[in-house]
Amino acid sequence: MPAFAVRLARLGGWLLLALAAVVASAVLFLGLIALTDGAGSGLAAFVPTLAVGVAVALWRSQRRTRAARLLPFLPVLAAAALTASVCVPASPTARQYPPDLPFVTTEHWNLATGSRVAVYHYPPAAAAGARHPVPLVYINGGPVRGISLLDHGFLQRLARQGYDVYTYEQAGGGRSDLLPMDQYSVTRSVRDLGAFLDRLGRGEADVLGFSSGGVALTRALADPEVSARMHRAIIAEPGPMDGPTARIAGQKGRPSARDLAPAMSGPRSTNTPRYAAAFGLMRLGLLSPETGLVGQAEGENAFTAADLGTDTASAYCASDAHRIPVENSAENFAFNPAASLKVEETVKDSPSLVPQLKLSRVPAMLMIAECSSQVRQWETAVLDADPAIQRTQYMPGVGHHLWNGLDGNDERAAAVITAFLQDAPAPLPNYPTREEIPAFLRDHK
């Protein structure tokens, strides 16, 4: 074999060994990140990883000529640069709140629970016909997420129809103040709702809860102290209401646009090694929401709408895959991944809600989407357990985001909601009823 080929083969072998050393260091580092829960912004994993790499390089350098002794340290330097990027914040570590919206005043209310939340009020429009004396309170999904511009637009629609609409961003989301991580829970969400209704001071209120907001509302209906402040309740596309429900691996609705829609455009925090590691390991359950790797303020600052990936598309029907509307602006978008995960964990760890929910007496309505991305049994479990649900509205041609600006979806959703609040005949059939749950699950696979 020619000398040149020999040297080339040796170089190739060395490069493979160097790459293997870098990969091994990265795997060790990520393992230690998980083991230490990201302590010290990852330094508790970085220092021993670097020490092991240096020790191995020193051992390997002893068998080399003087001129080649530095070669084993090159993979160590490469691995150190890669892993160090996970330890250095790339976004502000103090919370950067979205700017105020130009079309509604942002108020901040201090609740009796200790939460300080951003509040938005849409009074009934002057041109509206009959005004409704009972205020309507909206709880958005997330669970710890800012209210989207799409949702604000829908609330304005309800106000134009004579409703006195209030909404607030739950503690830790949007323009609301953060909580210590150990204070986030679905129980806190319910207590905050009760405290908000108290602070509102208008007597009983109608409450509309969407997605995880529907979960908080469902659990509030099972709490006699909070439900005593409610006039009527609308549970729209709820997630799992308790631990037993969360463990159901059931079916979903008609196909969504999840795997059909084009990838979301815009910057992604997960293109940065620090946040790719933090959010990825959190999602896999290898980092806790209280991780020391990325604080909740930094995580919320870093997280972008594009980081939601296919989650946004899953809220639309497959037929809408190539016309999914822009739900929000980059300036208004806010999502607290760590706090959201913490709230979801408290739902999964909670006992059955059925015994308490069976005692509910607040007139309620359940809204279910045809192309729902929620497990069907999450929704039918609420219907089965709550004897005060008076009607169910199965919404055709729409996904999880029931009001989305497409076709007549906003008008249809508003018609369903307002008819129930006025105790008027439902615009859609009452379907499914409790007796129809088995057939509904069988027929809507």
Side-chain angles (χ1 to χ4, degrees):
M1 181 181 292
F4 173 76
V6 172
R7 287 195 298 270
L8 188 61
R10 287 176 178 174
L11 177 60
W14 182 85
L15 289 175
L16 287 175
L17 287 174
L19 179 61
V22 172
V23 171
S25 295
V27 170
L28 174 62
F29 174 73
L30 291 176
L32 290 173
I33 285 284
L35 187 64
T36 61
D37 201 24
S41 194
L43 290 177
F46 175 78
V47 172
T49 301
L50 180 61
V52 169
V54 170
V56 171
L58 285 171
W59 175 73
R60 292 186 61 210
S61 67
Q62 291 176 355
R63 299 179 296 169
R64 295 178 176 269
T65 64
R66 188 168 186 174
R69 284 180 182 174
L70 293 178
L71 286 178
F73 290 92
L74 294 180
V76 177
L77 290 175
L82 176 63
T83 53
S85 66
V86 177
C87 303
V88 179
S91 293
T93 56
R95 181 71 181 104
Q96 305 292 299
Y97 292 92
D100 286 346
L101 294 166
F103 51 81
V104 64
T105 300
T106 303
E107 302 178 45
H108 286 91
W109 289 9
N110 294 312
L111 304 182
T113 56
S115 299
R116 187 170 185 266
V117 298
V119 180
Y120 310 94
H121 178 209
Y122 294 105
R131 298 191 180 188
H132 305 278
V134 180
L136 173 61
V137 174
Y138 174 63
I139 315 174
N140 70 307
V144 187
R145 182 175 179 174
I147 299 172
S148 71
L149 296 181
L150 203 61
D151 280 6
H152 276 290
F154 184 69
L155 299 180
Q156 290 173 316
R157 171 184 289 274
L158 295 176
R160 289 195 296 271
Q161 294 181 237
Y163 290 89
D164 197 10
V165 182
Y166 290 83
T167 187
Y168 64 97
E169 288 168 320
Q170 297 179 55
R175 297 165 184 82
S176 294
D177 286 6
L178 303 177
L179 294 175
M181 278 304 302
D182 60 359
Q183 292 188 24
Y184 290 106
S185 70
V186 69
T187 301
R188 177 60 172 263
S189 300
V190 172
R191 290 175 52 222
D192 280 353
L193 172 59
F196 181 86
L197 296 175
D198 277 346
R199 171 69 190 268
L200 186 59
R202 297 276 301 276
E204 291 183 346
D206 295 323
V207 183
L208 165 63
F210 166 66
S211 193
S212 60
V215 174
L217 176 54
T218 300
R219 296 184 68 92
L221 292 171
D223 185 320
E225 291 187 7
V226 181
S227 62
R229 303 170 177 86
M230 294 187 209
H231 179 252
R232 285 179 172 254
I234 300 170
I235 306 164
E237 279 285 288
M241 64 181 180
D242 55 23
T245 309
R247 289 188 284 273
I248 295 175
Q251 68 223 45
K252 299 184 180 180
R254 305 294 188 198
S256 76
R258 184 179 185 90
D259 298 318
L260 302 173
M264 288 190 68
S265 60
R268 296 174 184 266
S269 70
T270 47
N271 289 336
T272 304
R274 178 173 176 82
Y275 305 118
F279 299 148
L281 292 175
M282 272 197 285
R283 191 157 192 169
L284 292 172
L286 298 176
L287 285 180
S288 74
E290 297 90 347
T291 177
L293 181 58
V294 173
Q296 63 162 322
E298 182 190 349
E300 190 166 1
N301 292 335
F303 205 91
T304 69
D307 287 323
L308 292 173
T310 55
D311 285 353
T312 297
S314 69
Y316 295 82
C317 290
S319 58
D320 298 327
H322 295 283
R323 58 169 193 160
I324 293 175
V326 177
E327 296 186 343
N328 216 345
S329 66
E331 294 77 18
N332 188 60
F333 178 83
F335 182 76
N336 189 328
S340 292
L341 181 60
K342 184 65 181 291
V343 173
E344 290 173 354
E345 286 182 351
T346 64
V347 174
K348 294 176 183 177
D349 293 339
S350 67
S352 173
L353 190 69
V354 172
Q356 298 96 312
L357 195 55
K358 288 286 186 186
L359 303 177
S360 176
R361 295 296 179 266
V362 178
M365 177 177 73
L366 176 66
M367 297 176 70
I368 301 177
E370 180 181 9
C371 309
S372 177
S373 55
Q374 307 290 69
V375 172
R376 287 297 192 198
Q377 286 87 339
W378 293 352
E379 301 164 326
T380 57
V382 179
L383 174 61
D384 185 53
D386 186 351
I389 291 181
Q390 298 179 344
R391 64 177 73 167
T392 304
Q393 300 284 267
Y394 178 74
M395 309 293 291
V398 68
H400 178 61
H401 207 151
L402 296 164
W403 42 88
N404 55 34
L406 299 177
D407 302 329
N409 292 332
D410 286 20
E411 294 87 340
R412 186 161 43 246
V416 163
I417 290 168
T418 57
F420 176 70
L421 294 180
Q422 298 173 36
D423 199 19
L428 296 173
N430 180 27
Y431 173 78
T433 63
R434 290 178 188 82
E435 295 74 20
E436 293 172 322
I437 289 176
F440 175 77
L441 294 175
R442 183 186 64 244
D443 297 341
H444 292 79
K445 295 182 179 179

